[in-house]
Amino acid sequence: MINCSLETILYSKFQIKMSLNLLFILFTLFSSYLPTFVAKPEAADALLKWKTSLTNQNNPLLSSWSLDPTTNLTHVNRTTSTAPCSWYGVHCNDQGDVVKLNLSTSRLNGTLQHFTFSSFASLTHLDLRLNGVFGSIPVEIRYLSKLVFLDLSSNHLSGTIPQEIGMLTNIETLSLHSNNLEGHVPVSLGNLSKLGYLRVDNNNLSGSIPPELGTLYNLVTVNMSVNFLTGHIPSSLGNLTKLSELYLFLNNLTGLIPPSLGNLSSLRILYLYMNKLSGRIPDELGNMKSLNLLLFGHNKLTGSIPASLGNLTKLKILDVHENLLSGVIPPELGKLESLIQLAFSHNELSGQIPASIGNLSRLEQLFFNDNQFNGSIPKELGNLNSLVEMLLLLNRLSGPIPDSLGNLTKLEQFALHDNKLSGYFPEGILNCRKLRYLTLGNNSLVGPVPKSICNLRSLETLYLGSNQFSGGIPQCLVNFSHNLTVLDLRLNRLHGNIPTTFLKRNNNLKTLNLNGNQLQGSIPGTLIDCRKLEVLDLGDNKLTGGFPHWIDTLPEMQVLVLRGNKLNGTLHTSNTETPFPKLRILDLSSNEFTGLLPSKYFKNFKALMSVDGAASGEFYMDGKSMYYDTVELGVKGLRLHLERISVVYNTIDLSVNTFEGEIPDTIGQLRSLRFLNLSRNSLTGRIPTNLTNLVRLEHLDLSSNKMVGKIPGQLASLTFLVVVNFSQNQLQGAIPKGGQFNTFDSSSFQGNNGLCGFPLTKNCGDDGVSSSLMPEEDEDEDEDEDDTFFNGFSWESVAMGYGFGMLIGLGIGWFVFYLGKPRWVIRITEKQPIQT
């Protein structure tokens, strides 16, 4: 019995033990399906409070941010104890603490003022980049003491960077770029000893760069560019031996480049361009053996280029353009075989281009333009097999263009204009079949323009002007390339006719400049196929025939110059409803045109009717592949050469023809006109008073015509007038006074026997002619002026002095009128204008 009971007891214990083991196994098996943590409600409440403060609370990305249990179901029915760890963008640790908030690109729109930072003591990552967060950064951010990563970039944050951010001593990445932050960079950033990545670029920060940053020895990237920082670059930055990238461009930094930067042996990128840095480029920079990109452009650096830069064998870009550098290019730069771009343009460098530059076999861009380089172009440059762009323009290079440049089969842009080059057209360059931009203008090249140039079917800009090329224009030049936008052959010795077979389809020609040659024949009607033409300059040739009336149908035409030819006949329009809607410059001077002035044109020059010609913000006609349209304007017998055509230099020059009749009133609608020259014609009638509508007029020349009547006094209101010329007409009366008319000399009015007054020596009234003989039509023009005499007087004041005045008046009246009626008396009694 006893034994049986003991056995039963032992069996029961065994069953209990097995049951416990089974329960343990079952618990282990199902534990993965149960919550591994219990979230702390404080963080959930804080996030919900912040959500309700956002202006877009119904953001679908935040739909999971709710305490509704139905939004927290996964494999089993979870309770609200899992919130907020299962919410969008929220990450927790095993203890249920929120450690990461990744809400980048989440369409958040609101402030951080209702974000309870103290509820997230365990937070290590906060990422709110690329949202619509605005307002300031709260000082309460100091509570995020465990923060390692903070990215608030690409929002609309404003105000200052709080000093309290320096209390985040565990932070490694701090990114506040692309906001509207202002004020100084906090000195407290010097406390962030673990910081490796710092970006505060693209804000409105001012003040100096804190030298304390030089103590952050873990820094790898510093970007403070595109701000308004001032002062010097701290030499302490040379202590950052781990630094790989330093961006300080587009600020107002001054002073020297610290030689200590040469200690940055790990630095790969150094961007200091577009500041106000001065002094020399330190020789010590040649010690930065890891450097890939060095950009110092747009500063005020002086001195020579250090030969030590030849030690930077990993360098891919060396850009020091737009400075005041002088001296020669050190030949040691030929050792930089990794270079892709070499930019020395817009400096004062001189001497010859070193032949060693030809060793840079990987070079794609060579920018030496706008310096004082002399001598010949090294034939070794033909070894630059990777070259895509070569800009040598605006130097003093001489001699022939080497044929070896024909080896540059990848070359797309080749600019040699404005040098002293001589010899024939470099036919070797015609092997560069990818050329899009070829400019050899303003040199001393001779001989014919070869027909083989038409093999360059990718050409967009061809500028051969201002040389001594002779012979005819190859017919193919106007139809060899659908890409051609600029054909400039001006100021050469070309003769014959203008080619006639322009492309009928896909014609992209915008500029055709053949000015200053010896071309003959008529203007080809096939130009009507150039529907995109903006500038047509055929001036100063020997062209004949009538005005090409079809030309006003070209919808994009802005500049039309036919000056100095032998064109004749009348100006008549086509059937176009609004001819020349975009025209800004019209120069038909020095031809043989006759008949009436083209009033229909004046009525429809829409671009000349807006007072603000630069309202769009554009002050020049668009450049075409680095080429700028040029034009010469006639101003008071001189030629004004415009290297770039400003949209405000609106001009009409119809001088030196035989136009007759009156100046049409419609010209008064061209309110943005700056230059108007109708001189040396046979114009008659009066000067239109509505010329006073030309409120931007600077130069007005109506000389050598047959115009009569007075010079309208209202012209004195034109405040921009610099030059006027009314000489050699039949004008009469007083020259207007006031405004700019007080500055004009007598040459502007000579040859008009009836004119009087300043600046002429003839005073009005000296010839004994009574002012009552002036044309009656002009009397009304001055009635308002006459009435101003009485301003400030009342009939009561007149009556007070009447008795006393009459006695004196009777005594001197006879004496005054005996000597001749004084002008002031005439003005009161006869209401005639004062003549001075």
Side-chain angles (χ1 to χ4, degrees):
M1 244 352 240
I2 295 174
N3 292 336
C4 181
S5 298
L6 181 62
E7 183 176 321
T8 302
I9 292 170
L10 290 174
Y11 179 76
S12 298
K13 288 182 177 181
F14 174 77
Q15 284 184 317
I16 292 171
K17 185 176 182 180
M18 291 298 294
S19 297
L20 290 173
N21 286 338
L22 181 61
L23 287 172
F24 178 77
I25 292 172
L26 290 173
F27 177 81
T28 303
L29 287 174
F30 287 101
S31 63
S32 60
Y33 295 97
L34 295 175
T36 60
F37 52 78
V38 177
K40 299 179 180 179
E42 182 182 9
D45 292 339
L47 290 175
L48 289 176
K49 177 183 177 183
W50 184 48
K51 177 185 175 183
T52 58
S53 74
L54 299 177
T55 57
N56 57 338
Q57 298 179 29
N58 296 324
N59 186 341
L61 294 176
L62 302 183
S63 59
S64 61
W65 286 28
S66 170
L67 293 179
D68 182 356
T70 61
T71 64
N72 293 285
L73 297 177
T74 52
H75 297 289
V76 296
N77 185 15
R78 293 186 174 184
T79 67
T80 56
S81 63
T82 64
C85 298
S86 59
W87 292 355
Y88 168 81
V90 182
H91 302 272
C92 298
N93 59 17
D94 292 341
Q95 288 74 43
D97 297 314
V98 176
V99 293
K100 291 184 181 181
L101 278 178
N102 185 358
L103 299 172
S104 64
T105 322
S106 297
R107 290 177 266 172
L108 303 178
N109 198 332
T111 71
L112 294 174
Q113 305 310 311
H114 297 282
F115 188 94
T116 311
F117 290 93
S118 58
S119 299
F120 300 94
S122 300
L123 198 66
T124 61
H125 288 70
L126 177 58
D127 190 348
L128 301 180
R129 69 181 185 273
L130 289 165
N131 281 291
V133 180
F134 57 91
S136 60
I137 301 174
V139 297
E140 287 79 11
I141 200 168
R142 66 182 183 273
Y143 293 122
L144 305 182
S145 58
K146 294 185 180 180
L147 205 62
V148 175
F149 180 95
L150 175 61
D151 193 341
L152 304 179
S153 63
S154 300
N155 280 285
H156 305 292
L157 293 168
S158 57
T160 61
I161 302 174
Q163 290 284 348
E164 286 78 4
I165 213 161
M167 300 173 67
L168 308 179
T169 53
N170 288 304
I171 202 162
E172 298 175 4
T173 295
L174 176 58
S175 189
L176 305 176
H177 68 88
S178 304
N179 280 288
N180 299 312
L181 297 169
E182 55 189 12
H184 293 192
V185 178
V187 175
S188 62
L189 291 184
N191 300 329
L192 308 180
S193 58
K194 296 181 181 180
L195 192 62
Y197 185 90
L198 173 62
R199 285 196 64 179
V200 294
D201 52 292
N202 200 19
N203 279 289
N204 299 313
L205 300 173
S206 57
S208 57
I209 300 171
E212 289 79 1
L213 295 184
T215 63
L216 306 182
Y217 301 114
N218 288 306
L219 274 175
V220 175
T221 296
V222 173
N223 193 340
M224 309 179 80
S225 59
V226 198
N227 279 290
F228 299 98
L229 299 176
T230 56
H232 296 187
I233 299 174
S235 59
S236 60
L237 296 185
N239 300 328
L240 306 178
T241 55
K242 294 182 181 180
L243 198 63
S244 177
E245 301 176 7
L246 178 58
Y247 306 92
L248 301 177
F249 63 91
L250 261 171
N251 279 290
N252 294 315
L253 299 172
T254 56
L256 307 178
I257 298 173
S260 60
L261 295 185
N263 300 330
L264 305 180
S265 56
S266 299
L267 198 66
R268 297 186 302 105
I269 299 174
L270 179 57
Y271 283 4
L272 303 180
Y273 64 89
M274 297 193 79
N275 279 285
K276 299 177 181 178
L277 300 171
S278 57
R280 304 175 66 89
I281 299 175
D283 289 336
E284 289 82 353
L285 298 191
N287 299 327
M288 298 187 293
K289 300 296 181 65
S290 300
L291 206 60
N292 293 151
L293 309 175
L294 176 59
L295 279 71
F296 288 168
H298 282 275
N299 279 288
K300 299 179 180 180
L301 301 174
T302 56
S304 57
I305 298 171
S308 63
L309 297 185
N311 299 328
L312 307 179
T313 54
K314 295 183 180 180
L315 203 60
K316 295 181 179 179
I317 295 180
L318 175 57
D319 186 346
V320 294
H321 81 283
E322 198 88 20
N323 278 284
L324 302 171
L325 298 171
S326 57
V328 300
I329 297 177
E332 288 83 355
L333 297 188
K335 297 187 295 184
L336 304 179
E337 296 184 1
S338 297
L339 268 184
I340 295 174
Q341 182 189 105
L342 182 59
F344 290 161
S345 57
H346 302 285
N347 278 285
E348 299 174 4
L349 299 169
S350 57
Q352 295 191 339
I353 298 174
S356 61
I357 297 297
N359 298 331
L360 308 179
S361 58
R362 298 182 184 179
L363 198 66
E364 297 178 6
Q365 296 172 313
L366 176 64
F367 301 145
F368 283 1
N369 52 294
D370 200 1
N371 279 282
Q372 300 175 25
F373 294 122
N374 55 36
S376 59
I377 300 173
K379 65 179 186 303
E380 288 81 1
L381 296 188
N383 299 330
L384 304 176
N385 297 322
S386 300
L387 205 62
V388 176
E389 299 176 72
M390 181 191 293
L391 307 185
L392 304 179
L393 61 139
L394 286 164
N395 280 288
R396 300 174 181 176
L397 300 170
S398 58
I401 301 171
D403 286 336
S404 62
L405 299 185
N407 299 329
L408 308 179
T409 55
K410 295 182 180 180
L411 198 62
E412 295 181 10
Q413 297 193 7
F414 186 36
L416 285 175
H417 61 271
D418 291 280
N419 278 286
K420 299 180 179 179
L421 299 168
S422 57
Y424 290 92
F425 185 95
E427 297 208 35
I429 203 70
L430 300 179
N431 296 325
C432 306
R433 299 298 178 88
K434 293 185 178 181
L435 268 179
R436 297 186 298 107
Y437 179 83
L438 176 60
T439 67
L440 307 178
N442 203 16
N443 281 287
S444 299
L445 301 174
V446 298
V449 177
K451 295 180 180 180
S452 52
I453 197 173
C454 297
N455 294 329
L456 303 178
R457 298 188 179 277
S458 297
L459 268 185
E460 297 173 11
T461 296
L462 177 60
Y463 171 34
L464 305 180
S466 301
N467 278 287
Q468 299 175 31
F469 290 120
S470 57
I473 301 175
Q475 171 63 52
C476 63
L477 271 185
V478 295
N479 60 16
F480 75 104
S481 172
H482 293 287
N483 301 312
L484 192 67
T485 59
V486 174
L487 177 58
D488 189 337
L489 305 176
R490 60 189 154 101
L491 296 173
N492 279 288
R493 299 175 180 175
L494 301 171
H495 58 77
N497 295 335
I498 299 173
T500 58
T501 54
F502 291 87
L503 288 172
K504 292 185 177 180
R505 295 182 180 179
N506 301 321
N507 188 321
N508 287 299
L509 193 64
K510 293 183 178 181
T511 295
L512 177 60
N513 195 333
L514 305 178
N515 184 291
N517 283 284
Q518 301 171 23
L519 300 173
Q520 299 173 328
S522 60
I523 299 173
T526 49
L527 270 170
I528 199 172
D529 294 325
C530 304
R531 306 303 296 172
K532 297 182 180 179
L533 202 61
E534 297 177 357
V535 177
L536 177 61
D537 190 344
L538 305 179
D540 296 319
N541 280 285
K542 300 179 180 179
L543 300 174
T544 56
F547 179 75
H549 65 276
W550 45 263
I551 208 166
D552 60 25
T553 65
L554 298 179
E556 303 298 325
M557 184 72 72
Q558 297 186 48
V559 177
L560 175 60
V561 179
L562 302 178
R563 174 190 65 241
N565 282 288
K566 298 180 180 180
L567 300 172
N568 54 41
T570 60
L571 298 188
H572 61 282
T573 63
S574 66
N575 294 324
T576 307
E577 184 176 345
T578 56
F580 293 128
K582 296 185 178 181
L583 197 72
R584 296 187 178 278
I585 295 178
L586 175 65
D587 188 348
L588 306 181
S589 62
S590 301
N591 277 285
E592 299 172 3
F593 292 120
T594 187
L596 301 177
L597 292 175
S599 59
K600 183 178 178 181
Y601 283 151
F602 300 150
K603 184 179 179 180
N604 290 284
F605 287 161
K606 302 298 183 184
L608 298 180
M609 293 182 180
S610 172
V611 174
D612 191 356
S616 65
E618 298 292 334
F619 292 99
Y620 296 97
M621 289 183 59
D622 291 338
K624 304 174 179 71
S625 301
M626 296 168 35
Y627 169 92
Y628 296 110
D629 293 303
T630 64
V631 72
E632 284 189 347
L633 305 178
V635 179
K636 203 175 181 181
L638 302 176
R639 285 292 169 191
L640 175 63
H641 184 76
L642 301 181
E643 289 291 342
R644 293 183 67 181
I645 300 179
S646 169
V647 298
V648 299
Y649 270 88
N650 301 325
T651 300
I652 292 179
D653 190 346
L654 304 179
S655 62
V656 197
N657 282 283
T658 54
F659 289 114
E660 54 194 24
E662 298 185 356
I663 299 175
D665 286 339
T666 52
I667 206 168
Q669 301 177 23
L670 310 181
R671 303 183 65 202
S672 66
L673 201 61
R674 299 277 177 147
F675 297 86
L676 176 59
N677 191 347
L678 302 178
S679 65
R680 300 177 67 181
N681 280 287
S682 298
L683 299 175
T684 56
R686 299 177 181 274
I687 300 172
T689 57
N690 66 359
L691 289 185
T692 56
N693 295 334
L694 309 184
V695 292
R696 293 291 185 265
L697 198 63
E698 298 178 11
H699 299 258
L700 174 62
D701 192 346
L702 303 179
S703 63
S704 300
N705 280 287
K706 300 176 182 179
M707 307 198 72
V708 297
K710 296 176 60 178
I711 300 174
Q714 297 93 326
L715 293 180
S717 65
L718 297 178
T719 55
F720 286 92
L721 269 182
V722 177
V723 174
V724 298
N725 194 347
F726 299 108
S727 64
Q728 307 303 321
N729 277 284
Q730 300 170 19
L731 301 171
Q732 56 184 339
I735 296 172
K737 293 197 304 183
Q740 293 296 98
F741 272 80
N742 292 342
T743 67
F744 302 140
D745 59 36
S746 59
S747 63
S748 299
F749 306 99
Q750 289 175 347
N752 292 277
N753 293 332
L755 285 180
C756 58
F758 180 84
L760 298 177
T761 57
K762 178 183 178 182
N763 291 324
C764 296
D766 282 358
D767 56 1
V769 177
S770 171
S771 58
S772 62
L773 297 178
M774 297 297 292
E776 295 181 0
E777 297 89 333
D778 296 328
E779 290 182 4
D780 293 337
E781 295 176 9
D782 298 290
E783 283 185 1
D784 293 338
E785 180 183 359
D786 297 338
D787 292 340
T788 61
F789 176 85
F790 294 101
N791 289 345
F793 291 90
S794 65
W795 287 112
E796 290 82 357
S797 61
V798 174
M800 288 174 61
Y802 176 76
F804 183 73
M806 184 173 67
L807 181 61
I808 296 177
L810 289 173
I812 66 173
W814 179 87
F815 177 74
V816 169
F817 280 94
Y818 178 80
L819 295 178
K821 293 189 293 185
R823 282 166 287 173
W824 63 271
V825 175
I826 295 173
R827 186 179 188 190
I828 297 173
T829 60
E830 299 183 11
K831 298 207 66 172
Q832 294 294 330
I834 288 181
Q835 308 296 328
T836 59

